[in-house]
Amino acid sequence: MSLSLYNLTLEKGGAIQCCCYGSFSAAKQHEMVCGRGPYLELLRFDAATAQLKSISMTHAFGTLRAIAPFRLYGASRDYLMVTSDSGRIVILEFDALKREWIKVHQETYGKSGVRRAVPGQYLATDPRGRAVMLGAISKQKFVYILNRDSDAKITISSPLEAHKTFTLTYSLIGLDVGFDNPVFAAIEVDHEESDEDPQAPDAEKHLVYYELDLGLNHVIRKSPWAEEALDTTASMLLAVPGGESGPGGVLVCSDNYLTYMNPGHDIIREVIPRRQDMLPTNGLMVTCASLHKRSDRYFFLVQSEYGDLYKVTLSVSARKDTVNQINIQYFDTVPVANSIHILKNGFFFVASEFANHKFYQFKSTEQEDDSVIGAMTVTQSSGKREIFPLFNPRPLRNLQPITDIESLSPLIDLKVGDPSADSEAKRLFALCGRGPQSSIRVLQHGLSLGELGTAHLDGAPDKVWTIKRKFAADLHDYIVLSFPKMTLVLSVGDTVEAVHDSGFLRDASTLVCRTMLDDSLLQVHSAGIRHIRKNRLINEWKAPGKRTIVAAEANEKQVVITLGAGELLYFELDQGTSMLNEVCKKDLDREVACLAIGPIPEGRIRSRFLAVGFRDRRVLLLNLDPGENMGTLARQSCSSEPHGICIVSMDTEIAGSEQELCMYIGCVNGVVVRSVLDRTSGEITDARTRFCGVKPCQLVPTQSGGKTAVLVLSSRSWLGYFHQNKYHHSPLASKPFDHASFLSSEQCPEGFVAVTGSTVSILALERVGDCFNQTTFPLKATPRGFVKHPHYPHLIIIETEHRAYTDEEKQGIRDKLRASIAQEGDVPEQEEDLPEKDYGTIKAAQGKWCSYIRVWDTEQMVTHDLIELEENQAAVSIATCTFHDTGGEVHLVVGTVKDFIPNPNCYSSGLLLTFRLREEGKELDLVHKTIIDGIPKALHPFQGRLLVGVNNKVRIYDLGKMKLLRKCENRQVPNMVVKLTSQGDRIFAGDITDSVHLLKYSKQNNKLSVFADDSLPRWTTALVTLDRRTVAVGDKLGNINVVRLDEHASEDLDNDPNCDTGSSKWLYDRGFLQGAPQRLQLVASYHVGSTVTSMERTTLVTGGEEIILYSTISGSVGCLIPIRKKHDSEMLKLLEMHIRQESPPLCGRDHLAYRSYYTPQKAVVDGDFVETFSTLPYSIQTQIAGDLRKTPNEVIKRLEEIRNKVL
């Protein structure tokens, strides 16, 4: 069978490329829409949990270029306008009921793909919602007029052209002109003269206006400042409020300056304050900005490349038509962002360029600025002297951090490690971030929990419940703990205290307790039933004779107990008398293991379903309707003895369907069976199994996001829940619980009371819907790579930062700058150094490097050793190697380059640093340095020696006493070797631009020879071998390709006896155009959408499916799963084809074209796209499933099984 793969995204990319603010789901909502690669995410702040909640995450299956909100005049909600690589402009409306985006309009304007001459890179809307302008980087611009028809539906006009040849656009915005003709402003460069005449002066930037004449339906291009060019560094425009709110016009952001420009108004320019430790030669660039506008005032928050925020206001005349001055004040410092937004409810969102995104609350916006500590006189390149105010960053004064959104971007490298001591799943170690924001993150499959409180008891409870005083109440009042011979009742409030007047029997072990419909309390213990009525009267029912109750279950009106030997007794609550009456009994003649009663449906007075689990591995569904005498409705067999049963009403993956009645069965062997019950007949269908651990499974009904969920307790705790219209069954990232119960209180609206041994904890879910939880450890500089110690739980990490100083150099620079400024006056000293992670650091000149080698313990999460490299070395590669004749001792080799300048490539020499690992791998001892004549971009152990990629050469080194000894080399790789791996005597070398080359090492002649290469160029960034003739290649353009050597050629090479002597034609024959003798064949190709940074062949759970795990620079983690059965492969491909026809992507991109960006999609099924089957209307699901000869539930079940093989 040919290769067939199934792609799944396990962790969505965290990088936010574009973001906008508006009210999309309802009026006066404060929401952000974020473009995260191919995803559109709607975020809303939840004040109850102080978290930013993801309301909707939609895969657009395309590259989002720009998004912008607009609101038609008089409307209360915003629409979303999106441009992407589809070449179409799409208008979306959010359906709050379905929690999904609805496509309102789609208009084609250009070719697909991201092209410089196709509009969509810039998107500007008129503040009154009357028009929108799309701009390309080069030449083209379109204007669309927006309106309503007679049915109040939005309409969009034909495009009006505003093209200008030989023009480059740097920024495009819509101006606030009130109800005058819409006007758009752009920074443009006319490069016609410089293109035609190389001796012509450099092209100048100009501010250009485009006015849409609504009467003539025509766009007019204006250049009010045609004779006065902008600063060459001008890069951003900000629209100043106009009409009745302000003077209008624009603020032009350039290096070091903000400039106000408006036709008929003088140009006003103001200097941006800079940090005290900035070098005078460095310019200060504005990266993003946000406008806060009220009816009576407005201001801008502008951010610099260092992360400093400046509050910008305009001093205007009384008539608000003349600007007198631009006021710029230092406000606060936050991480450098791609986008910032001021929310009207007093919050501030920062979409960080790197690392986690931030959410703040304003404490003040009117505090007096006292941050300026001096001034610096700088001579510009034009000869003009300018005075720059200086300040030092200070701790946050105006902003208060609220919460973070975790982001792995940029994800530089990823490796799979061993499970932790308290978990069965393997951990992922990821190198993330840049500069001071760098970190290593430990990813573990599961939902993260926050601990709100914990207490230690004298004994170990065997059960826990939470109950309310009144049935209709929203919050719980009591926590009930059952011990072997007693029951403890605790109150829930600001403090947790013991309660002695609850009415519960305290000297007996409790089997079941709950609040009844009439606000009475129920306690079932081994000797009987205790009914504590609302008026505090207590009714007791005692078990007949000396018999004891062995199992019990209850809902708000019904109680079922078993007395052993299979005798069931059924009670019902009489609401008229508030008495618990025995209704019937039944002898089943089998030992009962567990019971469950279904929830009472709305509009009915009882549940008709009772599930009984027996020790003979069977479950019976009995009828509780009057007169049925608990007759049998259905049967289900289990793989082992049932340990717990739970019947709940849950959402469904079938779009448009009502809630399903689901029955969960937890078995002794750790398997959970989830089935669907027919509400009318009781038929059991759609049984799905999941292995949850090696211990018997307990089932606890709970809530997540206001919806019913089920908590499964085994050797690992799991939560089954619905999130964004999809069912998830995720583990909890914590130690396993012995017992648990759902808790809702003022401090914890949705949480758990969990018991582990004698410890009771109150826990709350932090981020529902995430696949992995993260633990972060900070690093000093940008990580470039890492390796695992082959014998000990240690990681060795190389960190390298360009334009960076050492700690001593930075302190010396600060002291020198402070001393020079202090000569001009009394300047206060900086009391403390602020953390560089939040406030940035000093930037050095190009070619200045700082590098570290770190030994990090994966169990204790501490650094054992940290070595700083000297002589301006930049660490670029790392590998561990066990050289032969060293007695199995592990050595570490780090490749560095001295005095490296990236563009153009310039360096003094390369180095190979060899270290010995001492003290169980915790410490590094330098053995020797080896000077080489190139950049060692790739290292890999090979047969007791070391493979090194030096520029375009592949070399083999052995360990010597004074240095590494070069044994042989091959110079046939075209450009630069960036990746190396091996299988046996075959070496796979990844070239930076020319894909992968296969080399064979001849021991007899000590030679390396290229015998196969690829027919297509690929910018290699990751390699992983699948077998001796197959390799998967990830490239810079976001593609994963699997290439394979022909089977007959591989066999001939292995069987040719001349290969060992080096005289074989397979090693010396030249192929077409002087290529290798053999060509690799493309067997699979797939576009993932972002640069692939790592690939590994691994399993994520013990005994799980072997996969290709990959990561991308945007922070996403995905996998390629092999499809081993031919009928599964055909079914999935057919399903993918049907979904393409019935449900094209949201933003108009052709799905097949998107996954075939550079080479046609081949032998890979898009699992993310196929899983959208569950979101389709039921009629379309039925139609597609019918063509596959399956039911919709069977299709969804099969997709779920494939995902469960991985995690």
Side-chain angles (χ1 to χ4, degrees), residues 22 220 467 475 523 554 595 793 975 978 1187 1201:
I220 305 169
I467 60 176
L475 305 179
Q523 180 189 17
L595 300 169
N975 300 293
V978 292
D1187 292 339
E1201 289 173 349

Side-chain angles (χ1 to χ4, degrees), residues 46 49 148 216 233 248 284 310 350 369 419 432 497 549 631 651 705 712 796 800 827 867 890 1048 1079 1169 1203 1207:
D46 184 358
T49 59
R148 293 191 185 96
L216 299 177
T233 60
L284 186 65
Y310 302 91
V350 178
D369 181 29
C432 306
E497 299 177 349
I549 301 174
D651 287 348
V712 182
I796 302 113
T800 304
V827 180
I867 298 177
V890 179
H1048 299 294
R1079 287 280 191 245
F1169 188 63
R1203 180 175 281 272
L1207 293 172

